[in-house]
PDB file of all heavy atoms in Angstrom:
ATOM      1  N   GLN R  65       2.419   3.167  41.793  1.00 95.00           N
ATOM      2  CA  GLN R  65       1.777   3.619  40.557  1.00 95.00           C
ATOM      3  C   GLN R  65       2.371   2.907  39.345  1.00 95.00           C
ATOM      4  O   GLN R  65       1.638   2.541  38.416  1.00 95.00           O
ATOM      5  CB  GLN R  65       1.913   5.129  40.406  1.00 95.00           C
ATOM      6  CG  GLN R  65       1.043   5.901  41.379  1.00 95.00           C
ATOM      7  CD  GLN R  65       1.313   7.390  41.340  1.00 95.00           C
ATOM      8  OE1 GLN R  65       2.423   7.838  41.060  1.00 95.00           O
ATOM      9  NE2 GLN R  65       0.285   8.167  41.642  1.00 95.00           N
ATOM     10  N   ILE R  66       3.672   2.704  39.335  1.00 96.00           N
ATOM     11  CA  ILE R  66       4.333   1.999  38.237  1.00 96.00           C
ATOM     12  C   ILE R  66       3.775   0.583  38.106  1.00 96.00           C
ATOM     13  O   ILE R  66       3.560   0.088  37.000  1.00 96.00           O
ATOM     14  CB  ILE R  66       5.859   1.970  38.454  1.00 96.00           C
ATOM     15  CG1 ILE R  66       6.445   3.375  38.264  1.00 96.00           C
ATOM     16  CG2 ILE R  66       6.537   0.963  37.527  1.00 96.00           C
ATOM     17  CD1 ILE R  66       7.869   3.519  38.763  1.00 96.00           C
ATOM     18  N   ALA R  67       3.516  -0.047  39.230  1.00 98.00           N
ATOM     19  CA  ALA R  67       3.051  -1.438  39.238  1.00 98.00           C
ATOM     20  C   ALA R  67       1.546  -1.568  39.013  1.00 98.00           C
ATOM     21  O   ALA R  67       1.029  -2.685  38.942  1.00 98.00           O
ATOM     22  CB  ALA R  67       3.429  -2.091  40.570  1.00 98.00           C
ATOM     23  N   THR R  68       0.849  -0.451  38.877  1.00 98.00           N
ATOM     24  CA  THR R  68      -0.607  -0.465  38.747  1.00 98.00           C
ATOM     25  C   THR R  68      -1.026  -0.222  37.308  1.00 98.00           C
ATOM     26  O   THR R  68      -0.575   0.739  36.681  1.00 98.00           O
ATOM     27  CB  THR R  68      -1.231   0.623  39.657  1.00 98.00           C
ATOM     28  OG1 THR R  68      -0.789   0.417  41.000  1.00 98.00           O
ATOM     29  CG2 THR R  68      -2.743   0.595  39.602  1.00 98.00           C
ATOM     30  N   ALA R  69      -1.880  -1.074  36.790  1.00 98.00           N
ATOM     31  CA  ALA R  69      -2.445  -0.860  35.458  1.00 98.00           C
ATOM     32  C   ALA R  69      -3.338   0.379  35.489  1.00 98.00           C
ATOM     33  O   ALA R  69      -3.945   0.699  36.524  1.00 98.00           O
ATOM     34  CB  ALA R  69      -3.268  -2.076  35.034  1.00 98.00           C
ATOM     35  N   TYR R  70      -3.438   1.049  34.355  1.00 97.00           N
ATOM     36  CA  TYR R  70      -4.261   2.257  34.285  1.00 97.00           C
ATOM     37  C   TYR R  70      -5.669   2.006  34.811  1.00 97.00           C
ATOM     38  O   TYR R  70      -6.200   2.792  35.599  1.00 97.00           O
ATOM     39  CB  TYR R  70      -4.314   2.789  32.840  1.00 97.00           C
ATOM     40  CG  TYR R  70      -5.228   3.985  32.705  1.00 97.00           C
ATOM     41  CD1 TYR R  70      -4.803   5.251  33.070  1.00 97.00           C
ATOM     42  CD2 TYR R  70      -6.539   3.832  32.232  1.00 97.00           C
ATOM     43  CE1 TYR R  70      -5.642   6.350  32.963  1.00 97.00           C
ATOM     44  CE2 TYR R  70      -7.382   4.925  32.130  1.00 97.00           C
ATOM     45  CZ  TYR R  70      -6.931   6.177  32.498  1.00 97.00           C
ATOM     46  OH  TYR R  70      -7.766   7.264  32.405  1.00 97.00           O
ATOM     47  N   ARG R  71      -6.262   0.913  34.410  1.00 98.00           N
ATOM     48  CA  ARG R  71      -7.656   0.631  34.805  1.00 98.00           C
ATOM     49  C   ARG R  71      -7.820   0.527  36.318  1.00 98.00           C
ATOM     50  O   ARG R  71      -8.914   0.697  36.836  1.00 98.00           O
ATOM     51  CB  ARG R  71      -8.149  -0.641  34.128  1.00 98.00           C
ATOM     52  CG  ARG R  71      -7.489  -1.908  34.627  1.00 98.00           C
ATOM     53  CD  ARG R  71      -7.999  -3.165  33.918  1.00 98.00           C
ATOM     54  NE  ARG R  71      -7.209  -4.307  34.295  1.00 98.00           N
ATOM     55  CZ  ARG R  71      -6.071  -4.683  33.740  1.00 98.00           C
ATOM     56  NH1 ARG R  71      -5.574  -3.991  32.739  1.00 98.00           N
ATOM     57  NH2 ARG R  71      -5.416  -5.745  34.167  1.00 98.00           N
ATOM     58  N   ASP R  72      -6.708   0.263  37.031  1.00 98.00           N
ATOM     59  CA  ASP R  72      -6.765   0.096  38.484  1.00 98.00           C
ATOM     60  C   ASP R  72      -6.320   1.338  39.252  1.00 98.00           C
ATOM     61  O   ASP R  72      -6.299   1.318  40.489  1.00 98.00           O
ATOM     62  CB  ASP R  72      -5.919  -1.105  38.902  1.00 98.00           C
ATOM     63  CG  ASP R  72      -6.446  -2.410  38.324  1.00 98.00           C
ATOM     64  OD1 ASP R  72      -7.693  -2.544  38.196  1.00 98.00           O
ATOM     65  OD2 ASP R  72      -5.627  -3.285  37.987  1.00 98.00           O
ATOM     66  N   LEU R  73      -5.971   2.396  38.552  1.00 97.00           N
ATOM     67  CA  LEU R  73      -5.573   3.632  39.226  1.00 97.00           C
ATOM     68  C   LEU R  73      -6.783   4.266  39.899  1.00 97.00           C
ATOM     69  O   LEU R  73      -7.929   4.007  39.526  1.00 97.00           O
ATOM     70  CB  LEU R  73      -4.990   4.630  38.219  1.00 97.00           C
ATOM     71  CG  LEU R  73      -3.658   4.269  37.582  1.00 97.00           C
ATOM     72  CD1 LEU R  73      -3.314   5.290  36.499  1.00 97.00           C
ATOM     73  CD2 LEU R  73      -2.542   4.175  38.607  1.00 97.00           C
ATOM     74  N   THR R  74      -6.525   5.148  40.861  1.00 96.00           N
ATOM     75  CA  THR R  74      -7.607   5.905  41.484  1.00 96.00           C
ATOM     76  C   THR R  74      -8.149   6.905  40.466  1.00 96.00           C
ATOM     77  O   THR R  74      -7.503   7.207  39.455  1.00 96.00           O
ATOM     78  CB  THR R  74      -7.114   6.681  42.715  1.00 96.00           C
ATOM     79  OG1 THR R  74      -6.202   7.696  42.282  1.00 96.00           O
ATOM     80  CG2 THR R  74      -6.447   5.764  43.737  1.00 96.00           C
ATOM     81  N   SER R  75      -9.305   7.450  40.738  1.00 97.00           N
ATOM     82  CA  SER R  75      -9.888   8.460  39.852  1.00 97.00           C
ATOM     83  C   SER R  75      -8.959   9.655  39.685  1.00 97.00           C
ATOM     84  O   SER R  75      -8.796  10.176  38.575  1.00 97.00           O
ATOM     85  CB  SER R  75     -11.236   8.929  40.392  1.00 97.00           C
ATOM     86  OG  SER R  75     -12.163   7.876  40.356  1.00 97.00           O
ATOM     87  N   ASP R  76      -8.340  10.097  40.773  1.00 96.00           N
ATOM     88  CA  ASP R  76      -7.417  11.237  40.701  1.00 96.00           C
ATOM     89  C   ASP R  76      -6.185  10.910  39.860  1.00 96.00           C
ATOM     90  O   ASP R  76      -5.708  11.748  39.093  1.00 96.00           O
ATOM     91  CB  ASP R  76      -6.982  11.675  42.096  1.00 96.00           C
ATOM     92  CG  ASP R  76      -8.073  12.412  42.851  1.00 96.00           C
ATOM     93  OD1 ASP R  76      -9.074  12.835  42.225  1.00 96.00           O
ATOM     94  OD2 ASP R  76      -7.924  12.569  44.082  1.00 96.00           O
ATOM     95  N   GLU R  77      -5.658   9.703  39.998  1.00 95.00           N
ATOM     96  CA  GLU R  77      -4.493   9.300  39.212  1.00 95.00           C
ATOM     97  C   GLU R  77      -4.840   9.223  37.725  1.00 95.00           C
ATOM     98  O   GLU R  77      -4.064   9.665  36.873  1.00 95.00           O
ATOM     99  CB  GLU R  77      -3.948   7.967  39.704  1.00 95.00           C
ATOM    100  CG  GLU R  77      -3.300   8.061  41.079  1.00 95.00           C
ATOM    101  CD  GLU R  77      -3.027   6.713  41.716  1.00 95.00           C
ATOM    102  OE1 GLU R  77      -3.753   5.732  41.412  1.00 95.00           O
ATOM    103  OE2 GLU R  77      -2.086   6.628  42.523  1.00 95.00           O
ATOM    104  N   LYS R  78      -6.020   8.681  37.424  1.00 97.00           N
ATOM    105  CA  LYS R  78      -6.461   8.639  36.025  1.00 97.00           C
ATOM    106  C   LYS R  78      -6.621  10.044  35.463  1.00 97.00           C
ATOM    107  O   LYS R  78      -6.232  10.322  34.328  1.00 97.00           O
ATOM    108  CB  LYS R  78      -7.778   7.874  35.902  1.00 97.00           C
ATOM    109  CG  LYS R  78      -7.640   6.380  36.069  1.00 97.00           C
ATOM    110  CD  LYS R  78      -8.988   5.708  35.936  1.00 97.00           C
ATOM    111  CE  LYS R  78      -8.877   4.208  36.111  1.00 97.00           C
ATOM    112  NZ  LYS R  78     -10.186   3.551  36.003  1.00 97.00           N
ATOM    113  N   GLU R  79      -7.194  10.950  36.240  1.00 97.00           N
ATOM    114  CA  GLU R  79      -7.374  12.327  35.778  1.00 97.00           C
ATOM    115  C   GLU R  79      -6.023  13.000  35.537  1.00 97.00           C
ATOM    116  O   GLU R  79      -5.862  13.757  34.579  1.00 97.00           O
ATOM    117  CB  GLU R  79      -8.217  13.140  36.758  1.00 97.00           C
ATOM    118  CG  GLU R  79      -8.526  14.546  36.277  1.00 97.00           C
ATOM    119  CD  GLU R  79      -9.187  14.609  34.906  1.00 97.00           C
ATOM    120  OE1 GLU R  79      -9.940  13.681  34.511  1.00 97.00           O
ATOM    121  OE2 GLU R  79      -8.944  15.611  34.188  1.00 97.00           O
ATOM    122  N   SER R  80      -5.051  12.711  36.369  1.00 94.00           N
ATOM    123  CA  SER R  80      -3.714  13.255  36.162  1.00 94.00           C
ATOM    124  C   SER R  80      -3.140  12.780  34.829  1.00 94.00           C
ATOM    125  O   SER R  80      -2.544  13.566  34.074  1.00 94.00           O
ATOM    126  CB  SER R  80      -2.798  12.834  37.314  1.00 94.00           C
ATOM    127  OG  SER R  80      -1.487  13.307  37.100  1.00 94.00           O
ATOM    128  N   ASP R  81      -3.334  11.505  34.499  1.00 95.00           N
ATOM    129  CA  ASP R  81      -2.872  10.983  33.214  1.00 95.00           C
ATOM    130  C   ASP R  81      -3.641  11.624  32.058  1.00 95.00           C
ATOM    131  O   ASP R  81      -3.064  11.959  31.017  1.00 95.00           O
ATOM    132  CB  ASP R  81      -3.017   9.464  33.158  1.00 95.00           C
ATOM    133  CG  ASP R  81      -1.979   8.744  33.991  1.00 95.00           C
ATOM    134  OD1 ASP R  81      -1.009   9.388  34.463  1.00 95.00           O
ATOM    135  OD2 ASP R  81      -2.123   7.517  34.182  1.00 95.00           O
ATOM    136  N   ARG R  82      -4.936  11.819  32.234  1.00 96.00           N
ATOM    137  CA  ARG R  82      -5.732  12.473  31.194  1.00 96.00           C
ATOM    138  C   ARG R  82      -5.255  13.899  30.946  1.00 96.00           C
ATOM    139  O   ARG R  82      -5.218  14.370  29.798  1.00 96.00           O
ATOM    140  CB  ARG R  82      -7.211  12.482  31.584  1.00 96.00           C
ATOM    141  CG  ARG R  82      -7.878  11.128  31.532  1.00 96.00           C
ATOM    142  CD  ARG R  82      -9.369  11.252  31.870  1.00 96.00           C
ATOM    143  NE  ARG R  82      -9.883   9.982  32.290  1.00 96.00           N
ATOM    144  CZ  ARG R  82     -10.275   9.683  33.545  1.00 96.00           C
ATOM    145  NH1 ARG R  82     -10.264  10.599  34.495  1.00 96.00           N
ATOM    146  NH2 ARG R  82     -10.720   8.477  33.828  1.00 96.00           N
ATOM    147  N   GLU R  83      -4.909  14.611  32.033  1.00 94.00           N
ATOM    148  CA  GLU R  83      -4.394  15.979  31.895  1.00 94.00           C
ATOM    149  C   GLU R  83      -3.141  15.987  31.028  1.00 94.00           C
ATOM    150  O   GLU R  83      -2.962  16.884  30.191  1.00 94.00           O
ATOM    151  CB  GLU R  83      -4.074  16.575  33.266  1.00 94.00           C
ATOM    152  CG  GLU R  83      -5.291  16.952  34.074  1.00 94.00           C
ATOM    153  CD  GLU R  83      -4.935  17.389  35.486  1.00 94.00           C
ATOM    154  OE1 GLU R  83      -3.734  17.645  35.776  1.00 94.00           O
ATOM    155  OE2 GLU R  83      -5.855  17.481  36.316  1.00 94.00           O
TER     156      GLU R  83
END
Side-chain angles (χ1 to χ4, degrees):
Q65 288 173 330
I66 290 167
T68 304
Y70 176 80
R71 69 180 172 275
D72 297 325
L73 292 174
T74 67
S75 294
D76 286 346
E77 290 167 332
K78 287 180 180 179
E79 184 55 31
S80 178
D81 286 349
R82 289 183 201 111
E83 287 173 13

